[in-house]
Amino acid sequence: MEPEGVVDVLRRLLSALVPGGDVVDLTMAPPDEVVESGGEVLGHLDGSLFFPRALAAGAGLDVLADEGLLALVREEPVTVIVRYPTGSDLIEDIASRTYTLMPAGLAARLATVETECLLHSYCIVRTFRKI
Amino acid sequence: MARVVDAEGVHLAAILRAADFEGRRILEVGSGDGRLTRGIAPLASSVLAFDPKAEDVANARSSFPENLLEKVHFEVAQAEEIEVEQQSVDLVFFSWSL
């Protein structure tokens, strides 16, 4: 969703929700995702383009909370692990993302890794209640 | 390219801690390949699941447990295009979609 129009979309979707209903938002959050293989941290992805967009979009819910339409009732950080058979598989997957970048040095290291690679992604799960 | 997302199940566990899904009508925005939909559908009374990627929605439909399909409706749509009746759902779930 484009951050610019997110509040309008949220407002419309919120009208589908009964009073007292819940909004659960799962979103990625800083710090940058960590790449690991064989127990060794190989580097971090570059989320400098992604996170400002994600945070701006997620802030749409805060706007509605500030307007008194929603109340934040719960927030929990979660770390999710994505497993890839090799470093090349991880490179290929990140290349399909629009706003997350693979630093050249990390890509060079990953290209030589023929064993399993782990990507640690940081997320936040927030729960709002419709007032 | 075979990747395995959240083999540990921490994602779904966190979602289920975030709210009560039991017997509720769910609107899921950004359902992807249905990975989390499969976890919430057994609890929910119904799930309306939207994702903009037609390929992901097709994969979700084709791989979904048959016994749960009657209460899950998958549709291809951007969040901006979703049309749902007013006050017709109990929980809206945004999965990496805002």
Side-chain angles (χ1 to χ4, degrees):
Chain A
M1 201 186 305
E2 292 299 317
E4 296 77 20
V6 73
V7 174
D8 291 337
V9 173
L10 286 173
R11 216 180 285 285
R12 206 161 49 74
L13 291 175
L14 205 59
S15 71
L17 191 61
V18 297
D22 293 323
V23 176
V24 176
D25 178 35
L26 165 66
T27 190
M28 283 181 65
D32 284 323
E33 294 167 273
V34 174
V35 176
E36 173 202 332
S37 186
E40 181 191 358
V41 173
L42 302 183
H44 300 73
L45 300 185
D46 177 359
S48 60
L49 295 178
F50 172 79
F51 287 125
R53 291 178 60 86
L55 293 173
L61 288 168
D62 298 312
V63 170
L64 298 184
D66 289 343
E67 290 179 7
L69 300 174
L70 293 173
L72 178 65
V73 293
R74 197 173 190 282
E75 186 170 321
E76 180 183 351
V78 180
T79 301
V80 175
I81 298 173
V82 184
R83 298 170 188 276
Y84 299 86
T86 68
S88 297
D89 292 313
L90 196 157
I91 292 171
E92 183 186 335
D93 190 35
I94 301 307
S96 71
R97 297 194 197 175
T98 308
Y99 297 104
T100 301
L101 306 175
M102 171 74 71
L106 176 58
R109 289 191 73 181
L110 279 171
T112 66
V113 178
E114 295 296 330
T115 54
E116 185 180 63
C117 292
L118 274 54
L119 180 64
H120 299 258
S121 301
Y122 304 101
C123 303
I124 294 180
V125 182
R126 296 195 299 168
T127 307
F128 293 83
R129 188 143 301 146
K130 184 176 178 180
I131 296 168
Chain B
M1 189 264 304
R3 62 172 193 166
V4 178
V5 181
D6 189 25
E8 296 77 10
V10 298
H11 232 165
L12 178 61
I15 296 303
L16 296 180
R17 278 195 299 274
D20 183 10
F21 286 75
E22 189 78 46
R24 299 179 91 182
R25 299 163 295 175
I26 312 297
L27 168 61
E28 183 181 7
V29 182
S31 52
D33 62 3
R35 181 174 63 87
L36 294 173
T37 320
R38 275 190 285 279
I40 61 178
L43 300 168
S45 72
S46 64
V47 182
L48 284 171
F50 293 89
D51 196 274
K53 292 184 181 170
E55 186 183 347
D56 282 350
V57 171
N59 286 339
R61 272 199 200 106
S62 64
S63 64
F64 214 74
E66 209 163 303
N67 62 320
L68 294 174
L69 268 176
E70 65 180 19
K71 59 177 175 178
V72 179
H73 176 76
F74 288 104
E75 201 167 311
V76 179
Q78 302 271 0
E80 296 87 335
E81 302 164 340
I82 295 172
E83 297 285 347
V84 183
E85 197 178 322
Q86 295 217 345
Q87 299 193 9
S88 61
V89 300
D90 303 301
L91 191 155
V92 179
F93 171 37
F94 294 103
S95 179
W96 276 329
S97 52
L98 285 182

